Amino acid sequence: MALLEVDDLSVTFARRGQRTVHAVDGVSFSVDAGEVVGLVGESGCGKSVTSLAIMGLLPRQPGLRVGGRAVFDGTDLLQLDDRSRRDIRGRDVAMIFQDPLSSLNPVIPIGLQVTEVLTRHRGMKGEAAQKEAADLLDRVGIPDPRRRLKEYPHQLSGGMRQRALIAMAVACQPRLLIADEPTTALDVTIQAQILELLKELVRDSGTALVMITHDLGVVAGMCDTINVLYAGRVVETARRRPLFREPRHPYTVGLLGSVPRLDAGRGERLNPIPGSVRDVLAWPDGCAFAPRCTRRIDECVGAPPELTLTYDGRSYRCVNPPPVPGTPPPAATDAGAPEPATGGPVPAPREEEKP
Ligand SMILES: Nc1ncnc2c1ncn2[C@@H]1O[C@H](COP(=O)(O)OP(=O)(O)OP(=O)(O)O)[C@@H](O)[C@H]1O
Ligand code: SF4
Ligand SMILES: [Mg+2]
């Protein structure tokens, strides 16, 4: 069994007088020790809500419903009481948050926050802890670390706060680390340094890393397995190489087509996906990607596409996937082979009942 098994996770936000938001809808994935698993998708597709739900850190608000399981080393994290959850969070599971200010204590110097982690998790004290803390800040690219240890979070830039948070997460040597956009706010040289540090953690401590990002360059350089999220659902899961070589979901194809490539020919254009992530308030019947999909056919409307598992262990949710290069076209039936959609009516969104 994998170190973390997320099974049919769902998160809905029901608000009085408003429609229900299905932020996460039946997400399943797993992570082994020493493995890097990516959660990838455009803004608003449910990456942060997925990770916060696993960590038990969603804001407690009326109408919040969390379903499914997130089993870490045999324990369902979603069933823990607050105390056990705090214990496991400090000891075994750590998270790097997308918003660093919310997770650093504003009235405690950075140094004390890092050394506290070192004392609690690695029994280090005094000068040894100070030295290790300075070393960690140095490794995440914070200049003059001894001085910075004495400073408060508000005295650091946003990028430095993010790096201090990464230093604290690495200091724990957790068995599972969830990193939510850890390098988005950083410049490329620092980004490379941080990614190297995370790779070291995985290699040397066997940490299982869930890497949340919308940066396909980071995915290509880091992840062993990738889950592509769209509107709260995993639409494709594959190992890195097959995903980049032969994406099976049109959304993945669109994501890959919208980033620049070094091997692109002169004059070759980027192909951004038209439209934006569907508003999850207006949840359609059928495939949520249909309104933006150039391969849409009649079968895409009605019910969400079932999961297709392939012989090489990948999976996707699409009734009309792009052909794998070298695969002959399917034989035409009486009704003729399906034509890719070129427009046509977009399925009407299903209105949720008001609570
Ligand atoms: N507390 C909340 N109450 C209601 N809706 C929420 C809440 N938190 C998130 N959502 C909604 O859930 C959906 C998923 O949000 P989430 O923050 O997970 O996106 P994301 O994939 O992390 O995006 P980004 O790349 O911008 O960080 C969004 O539509 C968001 O508006
Ligand atoms: S072909 Fe159909 S099922 Fe596949 S992504 Fe497009 S709309 Fe969805
Ligand atoms: Mg997010």
Side-chain angles (χ1 to χ4, degrees):
M1 193 182 183
L3 185 64
L4 175 71
E5 294 264 6
V6 176
D7 180 26
D8 204 17
L9 181 72
S10 66
V11 180
T12 51
F13 298 101
R15 288 170 296 183
R16 191 175 286 276
Q18 294 178 32
R19 285 171 298 184
T20 298
V21 178
H22 299 267
V24 178
D25 190 13
V27 163
S28 300
F29 67 91
S30 62
V31 198
D32 282 316
E35 188 186 20
V36 183
V37 169
L39 293 186
V40 187
E42 286 165 291
S43 184
C45 69
K47 304 182 295 293
S48 294
V49 172
T50 298
S51 56
L52 292 171
I54 295 168
M55 297 293 286
L57 289 172
L58 282 170
R60 293 212 173 131
Q61 61 190 76
L64 167 69
R65 277 200 306 273
V66 179
R69 297 177 344 131
V71 181
F72 171 77
D73 197 15
T75 304
D76 186 355
L77 299 177
L78 304 189
Q79 300 304 326
L80 293 179
D81 57 35
D82 284 354
R83 197 194 161 138
S84 321
R85 195 175 276 150
R86 264 200 307 274
D87 277 354
I88 215 164
R89 247 192 341 244
R91 204 179 50 232
D92 295 315
V93 182
M95 178 160 176
I96 298 168
F97 294 86
Q98 191 169 10
D99 170 13
L101 251 195
S102 64
S103 33
L104 287 167
N105 190 327
V107 294
I108 299 181
I110 292 292
L112 209 56
Q113 300 193 49
V114 182
T115 50
E116 199 208 326
V117 170
L118 290 168
T119 306
R120 192 149 28 103
H121 296 286
R122 290 166 55 189
M124 297 177 88
K125 289 192 183 131
E127 179 50 29
Q130 286 289 330
K131 189 172 170 310
E132 177 68 6
D135 188 41
L136 277 165
L137 291 200
D138 186 44
R139 287 171 73 196
V140 293
I142 296 184
D144 200 359
R146 284 275 178 181
R147 178 169 67 82
R148 293 293 182 181
L149 284 176
K150 298 193 189 98
E151 292 185 346
Y152 291 86
H154 73 270
Q155 293 173 283
L156 272 60
S157 70
M160 278 190 198
R161 284 195 287 264
Q162 181 68 290
R163 283 179 267 163
L165 208 60
I166 293 167
M168 285 165 69
V170 171
C172 293
Q173 296 182 336
R175 295 173 67 199
L176 170 69
L177 175 61
I178 301 181
D180 190 356
E181 305 275 8
T183 57
T184 305
L186 308 177
D187 64 56
V188 281
T189 48
I190 298 292
Q191 185 181 81
Q193 220 169 313
I194 299 290
L195 295 179
E196 200 43 53
L197 188 67
L198 291 175
K199 275 186 196 167
E200 246 174 64
L201 183 72
V202 171
R203 197 176 51 228
D204 300 344
S205 310
T207 296
L209 175 62
V210 178
M211 191 78 185
I212 296 174
T213 181
H214 57 257
D215 185 333
L216 289 168
V218 170
V219 173
M222 288 287 291
C223 299
D224 302 308
T225 302
I226 295 121
N227 296 285
V228 181
L229 257 81
Y230 188 79
R233 291 177 184 159
V234 175
V235 293
E236 179 159 12
T237 301
R239 302 287 291 177
R240 174 179 43 186
R241 201 173 279 262
L243 186 100
F244 280 90
R245 277 203 184 149
E246 289 165 6
R248 301 295 284 138
H249 194 282
Y251 177 57
T252 316
V253 175
L255 279 182
L256 297 180
S258 54
V259 290
R261 295 167 53 121
L262 281 177
D263 60 351
R266 218 168 224 279
E268 218 171 282
R269 285 166 170 262
L270 293 180
N271 287 312
I273 308 172
S276 61
V277 173
R278 281 196 55 78
D279 183 356
V280 284
L281 287 169
W283 200 249
D285 290 331
C287 176
F289 189 56
R292 304 170 73 188
C293 184
T294 52
R295 297 189 59 79
R296 189 178 69 239
I297 54 176
D298 289 349
E299 285 78 355
C300 304
V301 185
E306 296 289 327
L307 194 69
T308 302
L309 293 167
T310 65
Y311 68 94
D312 56 352
R314 58 194 297 182
S315 60
Y316 57 88
R317 289 179 192 277
C318 178
V319 296
N320 187 27
V324 177
T327 310
T333 60
D334 286 350
E339 285 292 321
T342 51
V346 164
R350 173 168 59 85
E351 291 269 327
E352 278 284 344
E353 290 139 44
K354 290 181 181 173

